[in-house]
């Protein structure tokens, strides 16, 4: 491409981003993980339309960082080649002048981008990056930017952020406030947290378009998938059956593919952040690799697709929301989230750090049934003894109490309280 063409595209993008009013945009907790003056590349990764570019742009404006902006998810830059990157840099200087900070949106679309970024870091430029593919970014970052990057994972709005943008009080203890929070949670369990979806009049078209864009652009094209329709049907099936253990054998039989292909496709779906996988806790590596539960990145993927057949299982939805919240809270602290299952009991989530279990969490929409109540409590009690863990939590829709059993203390907390506890 010609430098003049690139300069025009960059100027157009600059005009577009400068015309946006960021003052009313929701504050994101993940912004605290970024640094305006670091010599490390600041990298924000996450599913498409989770707000990555908005987070970075608002962060840069709030911290008065003069920064050049290039969005590579632009059809005019689709043919950009490695040899064009130096021309791109020249075009940036034409548009922005002598600039020392650069923000590259969806940079994984360009081959050899890590070498380009590494060169800029050596020149002491402050670099901000976003991307929608976890493995590609992680592999390239570890290979070429070892020790020179700060990675931030961004998910769609949390429930606390959902409350903030909908003016729902998360601190008041009045009957009205508690009821409104429960109403908000019920809406959140259905509509999810994609930022643009909060004001979208046709959520099914929005989510269907996003779902297909991820399948087509982030997976099929990037990994040269020949059986795109099989991949799409498999993704739809997993989205309808979220919060369940993934079985390559079952999926392969269902869609007429090999176990290897089923595993590979599942890996691609996770890399594009359409799904997240939670591994079974075990001190044996082979058990962690073989066993994994599948969750959607946002419950909207199970609600608003045009072809969805997902049942209105609020228990699964609440479990999915808790899963994403745990990843949001603990991944950047280098803690991991697992599940545990054996014949006598199950635990929905274990939070572990350096191989030590720090917390056990069960999720149940309601525990009014004595059978359900005992199953959840017994799972935590047995888990506590097995892993020598004293922090035990049972998250429900609206029950709050403290349960003492077998010298173990279990805190039963309403989901609205637990989900907003960090922000409060």
């Amino acid at each position: 491409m010609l430098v003049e063409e690139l300069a025009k595209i960059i100027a157009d993008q600059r005009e577009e981003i400068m015309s946006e009013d960021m003052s009313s945009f929701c504050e994101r907790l993940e912004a605290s993980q970024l640094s305006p003056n670091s010599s490390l590349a600041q990298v924000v990764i996450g599913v498409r339309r989770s707000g990555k570019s908005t987070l970075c742009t608002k962060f840069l404006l709030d911290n008065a960082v003069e920064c050049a902006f290039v969005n590579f998810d632009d059809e005019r830059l689709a043919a950009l080649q490695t040899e064009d990157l130096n021309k791109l840099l020249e075009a940036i200087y034409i548009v922005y002048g002598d600039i020392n900070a650069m923000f590259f949106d969806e940079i994984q679309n360009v081959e050899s981008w890590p070498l380009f970024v590494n060169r800029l870091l050596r020149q002491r430029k402050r670099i901000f990056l976003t991307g929608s593919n976890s493995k590609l970014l992680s592999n390239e970052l570890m290979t070429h930017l070892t020790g020179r990057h700060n990675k931030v994972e961004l998910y769609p709005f949390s429930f606390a952020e959902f409350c903030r943008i909908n003016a729902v009080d998360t601190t008041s203890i009045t009957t009205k406030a508690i009821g409104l929070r429960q109403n908000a949670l019920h809406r959140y369990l259905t509509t999810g947290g994609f930022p643009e979806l909060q004001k979208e009049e046709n959520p099914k078209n929005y989510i269907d378009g996003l779902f297909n864009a991820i399948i087509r652009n982030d997976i099929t094209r990037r990994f040269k998938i020949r059986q795109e329709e099989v991949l799409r049907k498999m993704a739809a099936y997993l989205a309808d059956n979220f919060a369940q253990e993934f079985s390559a054998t079952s999926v392969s039989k269902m869609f007429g593919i090999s176990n290897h292909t089923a595993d590979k496709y599942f890996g691609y779906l996770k890399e594009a952040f359409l799904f997240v996988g939670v591994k079974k806790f075990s001190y044996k590596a082979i058990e962690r690799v073989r066993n994994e539960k599948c969750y959607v990145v946002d419950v909207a993927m199970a609600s608003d697709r045009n072809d969805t057949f997902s049942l209105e299982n609020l228990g699964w939805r609440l479990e999915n929301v808790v899963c994403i919240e745990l990843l949001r809270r603990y991944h950047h602290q280098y803690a991991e989230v697992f599940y545990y299952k054996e014949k006598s009991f199950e635990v929905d989530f274990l939070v572990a750090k350096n191989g030590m279990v720090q917390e056990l969490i069960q999720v149940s929409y309601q525990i009014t049934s004595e059978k359900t109540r005992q199953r959840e409590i017994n799972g935590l009690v047995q888990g506590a003894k097995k892993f020598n863990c004293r922090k035990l939590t049972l998250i429900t829709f609206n029950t709050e109490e403290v349960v003492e059993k077998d010298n173990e203390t279990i805190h039963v907390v309403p989901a609205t309280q637990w989900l907003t506890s960090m922000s409060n």
Side-chain angles (χ1 to χ4, degrees):
M1 297 182 70
L2 298 175
V3 172
E4 292 77 10
E5 294 176 312
L6 291 170
K8 183 179 185 304
I9 295 170
I10 292 171
D12 287 345
Q13 291 184 354
R14 181 189 188 187
E15 182 179 328
E16 180 182 350
I17 201 167
M18 293 305 293
S19 66
E20 284 196 71
D21 180 9
M22 295 279 177
S23 60
S24 62
F25 279 56
C26 180
E27 297 288 342
R28 306 296 298 269
L29 185 65
E30 290 78 6
S32 64
Q33 299 174 39
L34 295 172
S35 171
N37 300 308
S38 176
S39 60
L40 305 178
Q42 306 293 301
V43 187
V44 181
I45 61 174
V47 68
R48 279 177 176 262
R49 301 182 193 172
S50 57
K52 299 185 299 294
S53 60
T54 300
L55 170 73
C56 285
T57 303
K58 183 172 173 55
F59 174 81
L60 293 168
L61 290 174
D62 289 347
N63 288 275
V65 178
E66 293 186 15
C67 190
F69 171 75
V70 182
N71 179 9
F72 290 96
D73 202 19
D74 184 320
E75 78 281 357
R76 295 171 296 178
L77 297 177
L80 201 70
Q81 301 296 316
T82 301
E83 57 268 23
D84 295 319
L85 288 174
N86 211 52
K87 297 176 186 176
L88 179 77
L89 186 59
E90 184 179 341
I92 289 173
Y93 287 126
I94 290 173
V95 175
Y96 285 92
D98 189 9
I99 199 82
N100 288 314
M102 300 179 189
F103 171 21
F104 299 131
D105 202 2
E106 301 292 357
I107 193 170
Q108 81 281 348
N109 291 343
V110 183
E111 193 173 349
S112 297
W113 67 265
L115 297 175
F116 175 62
V117 168
N118 216 5
R119 173 156 61 99
L120 294 175
L121 289 174
R122 291 197 301 271
Q123 296 172 5
R124 300 185 183 280
K125 302 295 182 185
R126 286 175 289 167
I127 303 297
F128 299 83
L129 313 172
T130 74
S132 298
N133 186 283
S134 63
K135 188 173 181 181
L136 179 62
L137 275 173
S138 296
N139 284 352
E140 298 290 9
L141 289 169
M142 287 187 291
T143 302
H144 298 286
L145 302 179
T146 304
R148 304 188 71 184
H149 70 278
N150 169 41
K151 185 172 71 173
V152 178
E153 294 181 12
L154 185 68
Y155 296 92
F157 283 150
S158 66
F159 177 65
E161 291 164 341
F162 179 86
C163 288
R164 198 175 305 140
I165 63 174
N166 287 287
V168 177
D169 190 331
T170 60
T171 59
S172 174
I173 59 173
T174 67
T175 301
K176 179 180 178 180
I178 293 171
L180 290 176
R181 284 197 292 273
Q182 291 177 358
N183 176 270
L185 178 58
H186 196 277
R187 285 186 285 131
Y188 182 74
L189 292 177
T190 304
T191 61
F194 280 103
E196 292 176 348
L197 197 58
Q198 306 309 311
K199 297 181 180 179
E200 179 61 48
E201 294 181 358
N202 195 330
K204 285 192 179 294
N205 281 353
Y206 180 91
I207 289 298
D208 202 51
L210 176 57
F211 187 87
N212 289 327
I214 292 172
I215 296 295
R216 181 178 59 253
N217 299 328
D218 295 335
I219 302 177
T220 301
R221 290 179 183 173
R222 182 163 295 141
F223 299 107
K224 298 179 175 57
I225 304 295
R226 294 181 179 179
Q227 303 180 76
E228 180 178 343
E229 192 55 31
V230 172
L231 173 66
R232 190 186 311 277
K233 289 179 179 178
M234 175 178 161
Y237 168 79
L238 293 175
D240 287 340
N241 295 275
F242 61 100
Q244 306 297 308
E245 287 182 305
F246 173 78
S247 169
T249 301
S250 298
V251 170
S252 63
K253 289 179 180 178
M254 189 175 301
F255 297 104
I257 55 179
S258 67
N259 286 9
H260 174 72
T261 299
D263 270 326
K264 184 168 65 174
Y265 283 3
F266 184 43
Y268 292 157
L269 291 166
K270 289 185 294 181
E271 287 172 35
F273 296 102
L274 190 54
F275 298 94
V276 298
V278 173
K279 296 184 181 300
K280 179 181 177 181
F281 184 83
S282 175
Y283 293 106
K284 297 179 180 179
I286 192 168
E287 287 191 19
R288 294 197 300 272
V289 171
R290 284 179 176 174
N291 300 280
E292 192 168 12
K293 289 182 77 172
C294 174
Y295 294 89
V296 285
V297 71
D298 188 272
V299 289
M301 289 295 182
S303 303
D304 290 320
R305 299 186 339 273
N306 285 326
D307 60 347
T308 183
F309 290 96
S310 178
L311 300 175
E312 290 298 317
N313 190 317
L314 293 174
W316 287 1
R317 290 176 182 277
L318 182 57
E319 182 180 332
N320 202 107
V321 165
V322 169
C323 173
I324 300 301
E325 182 65 21
L326 286 169
L327 297 177
R328 183 184 288 114
R329 291 182 183 185
Y330 290 114
H331 263 193
H332 70 282
Q333 298 180 18
Y334 304 102
E336 295 183 83
V337 179
F338 300 90
Y339 76 99
Y340 188 77
K341 182 178 181 180
E342 59 180 64
K343 288 183 179 180
S344 59
F345 73 99
E346 297 181 26
V347 179
D348 291 328
F349 300 109
L350 294 82
V351 178
K353 191 170 186 178
N354 299 324
M356 300 295 293
V357 177
Q358 297 184 332
E359 183 175 7
L360 302 178
I361 298 171
Q362 296 282 56
V363 183
S364 182
Y365 189 78
Q366 290 183 333
I367 55 171
T368 52
S369 162
E370 188 61 26
K371 180 180 179 181
T372 301
R373 179 185 176 87
Q374 291 306 317
R375 182 186 68 231
E376 304 297 350
I377 290 173
N378 288 337
L380 288 171
V381 169
Q382 292 190 60
K385 297 185 184 308
K386 185 176 184 68
F387 299 112
N388 192 29
C389 176
R390 303 281 79 83
K391 190 175 182 181
L392 312 175
T393 306
L394 171 53
I395 301 171
T396 70
F397 184 74
N398 58 6
T399 303
E400 183 173 14
E401 62 177 300
V402 176
V403 176
E404 302 283 350
K405 184 171 182 180
D406 295 349
N407 297 319
E408 303 293 347
T409 301
I410 298 169
H411 293 275
V412 183
V413 297
T416 53
Q417 177 183 316
W418 186 85
L419 289 168
T420 59
S421 60
M422 294 286 284
S423 63
N424 291 340

